[in-house]
């Protein structure tokens, strides 16, 4: 089929490449000429494993090309995916719909034949009804434009696999005054099933629902995951106080199949462009709807998460005798998670920046995210290796759980550091190994009994 993907950031570029991999003809569209030029030359402007290879492959096959022109994309596409950003508004926690509104308006105007617009961006509940009306108002006479909401469930670092082999799909369809799916919506559903035919043939679960439920799926999932992370971090404050072990506690409750072990890793908390933004946007939308009390707990989820960052900063301050001014601190990691160069709302970068603002000499290394971190906080000392970061360090903070950090040994660092003190901000090291080697080891929620 002939598809367009509007927005070629993290979501859009991954979706465009993946749709080409499924055999479709795809145009990726973005208003940023530099981004389009990079992608057209085979360069992915962010780190995502597996994506550069598929991009190069399908530029070569001719199934994938890029443009800044709606006039080119509109007549080409039978299905137009919207993958632009919905950042948090500067003046509030609400999602900014400017880019989504513009994309829907312009592609509807540019379409010269009946087509489907498929929303993938994360939007406030209630947006799809308005966007369907916006599309109809801007479509040319005689051109029918039908909106379907198809939320994305990508994990950074696993986005290609999550697009090609998702654990579920959701189609949100327009309903009439009686709550029945409209004829247009049912026709659009049939076409979208053709787009995803090979995946649906592999028995990937498909949920057909109304607009409102489909819009809520992504923010509800992210809010649940954020709550789970903050729950275990809240308990880690208790285990630190009473002398317990948060990892053992997490293992024990995680064996309950109703709970599960995933996302029960205590540490410096969550970040990135989704979880923090989505829980705040859901709170803002609930307040607009007059049901803010229903998600009031998310304010505490957010507070617990941010509190872990300050806790890590204060831990470093305490270990350095009450002041970090002029002290050498090594920070391993700036990305909010491994296998990503995304530093948006990154706990690691936030902690490094706070320590620097207190007068510390902060030496930072991340395998992929240093360049992006430097754009956001240029005053840190960004270096090119673990060895450079820890040289003469008085304390080492492991803040992003990259594989090369998880596999560190005391013997690697001991000849380089000034003081053998390490804070395992992600609970990924073996405490016994470090303590037996003569290191002072600290981690969230753990009382080391040796």
């Amino acid at each position: 089929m002939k598809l367009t993907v509007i927005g070629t950031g993290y979501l859009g570029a991954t979706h465009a490449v993946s749709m080409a991999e499924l055999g479709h003809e795809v145009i990726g569209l973005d208003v940023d000429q530099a981004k389009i030029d990079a992608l057209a030359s085979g360069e992915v402007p962010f780190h995502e494993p597996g994506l550069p290879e598929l991009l190069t492959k399908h530029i070569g096959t001719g199934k994938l090309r890029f443009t800044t022109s709606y006039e080119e994309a509109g007549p080409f596409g039978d299905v137009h995916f919207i993958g632009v950003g919905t950042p948090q508004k500067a003046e509030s926690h609400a999602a900014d719909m400017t880019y989504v509104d513009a994309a829907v308006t312009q592609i509807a105007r540019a379409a010269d034949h009946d087509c489907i617009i498929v929303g993938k961006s994360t939007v406030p509940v209630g947006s799809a009804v308005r966007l369907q009306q916006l599309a109809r108002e801007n479509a040319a006479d005689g051109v029918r434009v039908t909106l379907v909401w198809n939320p994305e469930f990508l994990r950074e670092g696993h986005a290609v696999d999550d697009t090609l082999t998702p654990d579920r799909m959701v189609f949100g369809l327009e309903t009439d005054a009686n709550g029945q799916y409209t004829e247009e919506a049912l026709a659009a559903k049939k076409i979208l099933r053709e787009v995803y035919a090979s995946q649906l043939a592999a028995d990937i679960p498909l949920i057909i629902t109304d607009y409102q439920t489909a819009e809520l799926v992504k923010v509800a999932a992210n809010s649940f995951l954020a709550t789970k992370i903050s729950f275990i971090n809240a308990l880690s404050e208790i285990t630190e106080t009473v002398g317990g072990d948060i990892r053992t506690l997490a293992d024990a409750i995680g064996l309950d199949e109703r709970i599960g072990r995933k996302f029960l890793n205590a540490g410096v908390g969550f970040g990135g462009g989704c979880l923090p933004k989505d829980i705040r946007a859901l709170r803002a939308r609930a307040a607009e709807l007059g049901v803010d009390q229903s998600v009031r707990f998310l304010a505490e989820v957010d507070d617990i998460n941010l509190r872990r960052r300050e806790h890590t900063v204060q831990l470093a301050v305490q270990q350095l005798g009450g002041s970090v001014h002029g002290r050498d601190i090594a920070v391993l990691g700036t990305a909010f998670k491994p296998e990503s160069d995304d530093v948006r709302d990154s706990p690691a970068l936030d902690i490094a920046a706070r320590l620097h603002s207190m007068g510390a000499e902060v030496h930072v290394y991340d395998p992929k995210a240093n360049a992006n971190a430097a754009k956001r906080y240029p005053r840190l000392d960004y270096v090119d290796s673990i060895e450079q970061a820890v040289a003469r360090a008085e304390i080492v903070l492991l803040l992003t759980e990259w594989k090369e950090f998880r596999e560190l040994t005391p013997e690697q660092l001991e000849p380089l550091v000034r003081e053998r003190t390490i804070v395992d901000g992600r609970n990924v090291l073996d405490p016994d190994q470090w303590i037996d080697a003569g290191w002072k080891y600290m981690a969230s929620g753990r009382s080391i009994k040796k």
Side-chain angles (χ1 to χ4, degrees):
M1 300 185 71
K2 292 185 176 181
L3 316 177
T4 73
V5 179
I6 302 167
T8 60
Y10 183 83
L11 164 61
T14 303
H15 196 71
V17 171
S18 297
M19 291 302 99
E21 177 70 3
L22 292 179
H24 303 296
E25 295 181 59
V26 184
I27 289 180
L29 185 152
D30 203 290
V31 296
D32 186 335
Q33 184 68 58
K35 191 182 296 183
I36 289 298
D37 290 343
L39 289 165
S41 67
E43 178 185 343
V44 178
F46 51 86
H47 176 70
E48 181 58 39
L51 191 60
E53 294 82 359
L54 289 182
L55 173 64
T56 301
K57 173 183 174 181
H58 291 298
I59 290 174
T61 63
K63 289 186 177 297
L64 178 62
R65 66 183 193 270
F66 297 92
T67 185
T68 59
S69 171
Y70 279 93
E71 289 69 28
E72 179 183 357
F76 171 85
D78 300 313
V79 180
H80 306 283
F81 290 93
I82 305 295
V84 298
T86 52
Q88 184 176 311
K89 288 182 178 179
E91 70 279 6
S92 73
H93 286 164
D96 186 346
M97 290 289 290
T98 301
Y99 306 111
V100 174
D101 288 1
V104 169
T105 298
Q106 293 188 69
I107 199 63
R109 289 175 179 171
D112 66 356
H113 61 285
D114 292 355
C115 61
I116 302 170
I117 295 177
V118 181
K120 296 200 71 67
S121 304
T122 303
V123 299
V125 61
S127 299
V129 171
R130 180 180 63 80
L131 292 169
Q132 173 65 93
Q133 184 59 33
L134 185 65
R136 289 186 175 131
E137 291 172 354
N138 282 278
D141 291 342
V143 174
R144 183 173 62 185
V145 180
T146 307
L147 181 75
V148 177
W149 213 260
N150 172 220
E152 56 87 10
F153 305 110
L154 304 187
R155 298 167 298 160
E156 293 196 33
H158 305 273
V160 174
D161 286 343
D162 288 345
T163 305
L164 294 175
T165 56
D167 52 17
R168 79 279 205 197
M169 288 188 186
V170 177
F171 295 173
L173 307 182
E174 183 182 33
T175 53
D176 60 23
N178 297 316
Q180 302 298 309
Y181 298 128
T182 65
E183 290 185 13
E184 284 187 26
L186 291 173
K189 178 193 73 170
K190 183 177 180 181
I191 293 172
L192 199 54
R193 286 185 68 103
E194 293 177 22
V195 172
Y196 293 128
S198 61
Q199 295 159 300
L200 294 174
D203 294 328
I204 290 171
L206 172 62
I207 296 172
I208 307 295
T209 186
D210 52 76
Y211 280 157
Q212 294 82 357
T213 304
E215 291 168 314
L216 281 168
V217 171
K218 177 63 183 294
V219 293
N222 279 351
S223 295
F224 181 81
L225 295 176
T227 300
K228 200 171 181 182
I229 296 168
S230 283
F231 171 81
I232 203 67
N233 276 330
L235 286 179
S236 77
E237 296 180 9
I238 299 174
T239 56
E240 285 180 15
T241 301
V242 302
D245 188 318
I246 195 63
R247 286 197 63 174
T248 303
L249 178 62
D251 289 341
I253 64 176
L255 289 171
D256 187 328
E257 63 181 14
R258 298 168 301 173
I259 297 172
R261 183 61 175 81
K262 291 182 178 179
F263 284 80
L264 286 179
N265 295 314
V268 296
F270 58 82
C274 291
L275 264 63
K277 173 179 73 73
D278 287 354
I279 64 172
R280 295 164 192 163
L282 181 57
R283 288 173 53 207
R285 183 59 177 146
E288 292 170 354
L289 295 170
V291 291
D292 51 308
Q293 69 278 5
S294 63
V295 291
R296 191 174 296 158
F297 71 95
L298 290 178
E300 186 59 29
V301 168
D302 203 7
D303 287 345
I304 291 168
N305 187 56
L306 295 176
R307 197 157 67 232
R308 299 313 296 168
R309 305 179 186 189
E310 181 59 26
H311 172 80
T312 305
V313 170
Q314 291 307 315
L315 189 59
V317 171
Q318 292 167 13
Q319 294 305 312
L320 293 175
S323 173
V324 298
H325 187 80
R327 311 297 288 273
D328 284 299
I329 298 176
V331 169
L332 302 181
T334 58
F336 86 96
K337 63 178 292 187
E339 300 302 332
S340 172
D341 61 356
D342 192 345
V343 297
R344 290 175 294 173
D345 209 352
S346 167
L349 183 57
D350 187 19
I351 291 166
R354 293 189 197 198
L355 289 168
H356 179 268
S357 70
M358 298 167 73
E361 299 292 334
V362 184
H363 312 287
V364 180
Y365 169 65
D366 188 287
K368 296 293 181 182
N370 269 7
N372 286 340
K375 293 175 186 175
R376 289 184 176 251
Y377 202 92
R379 289 173 286 175
L380 299 174
D381 176 32
Y382 297 95
V383 298
D384 298 325
S385 68
I386 295 174
E387 291 75 16
Q388 287 177 284
V390 304
R392 299 189 61 75
E394 297 172 78
I395 189 170
V396 177
L397 308 182
L398 192 165
L399 302 180
T400 309
E401 62 272 38
W402 286 94
K403 184 174 184 288
E404 63 182 283
F405 301 159
R406 299 196 305 266
E407 295 178 348
L408 279 174
T409 65
E411 292 73 22
Q412 284 177 261
L413 302 191
E414 186 164 343
L416 302 170
V417 298
R418 188 181 304 167
E419 299 291 340
R420 292 180 293 177
T421 303
I422 189 164
V423 175
D424 182 3
R426 294 294 184 176
N427 267 302
V428 292
L429 301 176
D430 178 358
D432 291 342
Q433 181 185 27
W434 291 80
I435 294 168
D436 289 346
W439 283 67
K440 188 168 188 178
Y441 171 92
M442 290 153 287
S444 296
R446 305 181 81 174
S447 175
I448 307 304
K449 297 182 170 56
K450 284 197 173 187

